[in-house]
Amino acid sequence: MKKVIPYAHELLRETIQPGEVAVDATCGNGHDTTVLSKLVGDDGIVYAFDIQQQAIDRTMLLLEEQGIDNVHLLLADHQYAQAYIPKADHGRIGGAIFNLGYLPGSDKQTITTPESTVEAIRAISAILKPGGLIVIVVYHGHHGGEQEKQELLDYLTSLDQKEFSVLQYAFINQQNNPPFLLALQKSV
């Protein structure tokens, strides 16, 4: 069995095609951004969002180290993704990833919030291509994490099964609030 992050990346590898658009809704340290960049290839584009300058700087450094230049870094809340992604790229998004919680190695007071996360998922799913995928790694062991987890589950459970397939992948015998994966795929 794969751990949550490798499984998230596997799902994205199965979905995103070279030349497409991808979204890293929480670029953090840049690791998911680099995975997406390789999946879309030289002819594709990645839009990477974060609300913290520290995350944008860390991601930029990693991209420079790896010689990656197909990423647009955006210091912005992911809930506004639809406004930042040009209309020409709407409907071309093959996949998106969220890592919820806080930026590893930084201030644990700055966290993703349920309102922003649900709105971001709503906005990005509206401009996904048919068959496109959003994967969400849910870290919920921090202050505010349980509320975000519950509101996210409530929202995703309410989605019409004719429009989206929604998956939950979790290890149920691990202790200390292990992260789990949610994935939603837009119907073809």
Side-chain angles (χ1 to χ4, degrees):
M1 289 188 283
K2 291 193 185 288
K3 298 220 180 275
V4 172
I5 295 285
Y7 187 54
H9 291 169
E10 180 179 320
L11 290 173
L12 291 168
R13 268 192 303 280
E14 292 173 359
T15 307
I16 297 173
Q17 301 298 310
E20 289 186 334
V21 176
V23 177
D24 187 344
T26 53
C27 70
N29 289 315
H31 301 294
D32 292 331
T33 308
T34 62
V35 168
L36 294 174
S37 170
K38 291 171 185 163
L39 293 176
V40 300
D42 293 337
D43 295 328
I45 299 169
V46 177
Y47 295 98
F49 292 85
D50 211 290
I51 59 170
Q52 294 181 80
Q53 185 65 51
Q54 182 180 17
I56 297 295
D57 294 344
R58 288 179 182 179
T59 300
M60 185 181 308
L61 182 61
L62 184 61
L63 296 174
E64 288 171 358
E65 288 171 359
Q66 295 190 20
I68 293 172
D69 63 1
N70 63 347
V71 175
H72 296 284
L73 292 170
L74 300 154
L75 181 61
D77 191 318
H78 53 212
Q79 73 178 316
Y80 303 114
Q82 202 174 92
Y84 282 94
I85 297 170
K87 291 212 184 298
D89 289 331
H90 292 194
R92 294 186 52 226
I93 299 171
I97 188 167
F98 289 72
N99 268 292
L100 303 182
Y102 55 85
L103 177 63
S106 74
D107 170 24
K108 293 180 181 165
Q109 301 305 309
T110 304
I111 59 172
T112 55
T113 64
E115 301 80 20
S116 174
T117 298
V118 168
E119 185 53 41
I121 292 165
R122 183 179 288 118
I124 294 169
S125 66
I127 59 175
L128 273 178
K129 72 172 190 172
L133 181 76
I134 298 174
V135 294
I136 307 147
V137 180
V138 182
Y139 293 90
H140 56 98
H142 60 282
H143 176 72
E146 191 62 34
Q147 179 187 359
E148 184 174 41
K149 172 185 120 178
Q150 194 54 56
E151 289 189 33
L152 188 55
L153 288 170
D154 290 346
Y155 171 68
L156 294 176
T157 302
S158 75
L159 291 176
D160 185 338
Q161 68 181 7
K162 293 176 184 155
E163 295 178 32
F164 293 96
S165 296
V166 182
L167 165 79
Q168 182 174 355
Y169 179 82
F171 292 94
I172 60 174
N173 67 334
Q174 292 181 354
Q175 302 199 359
N176 300 321
N177 303 305
F180 64 94
L181 176 78
L182 296 167
L184 64 146
Q185 186 167 39
K186 192 171 195 173
S187 297
V188 177

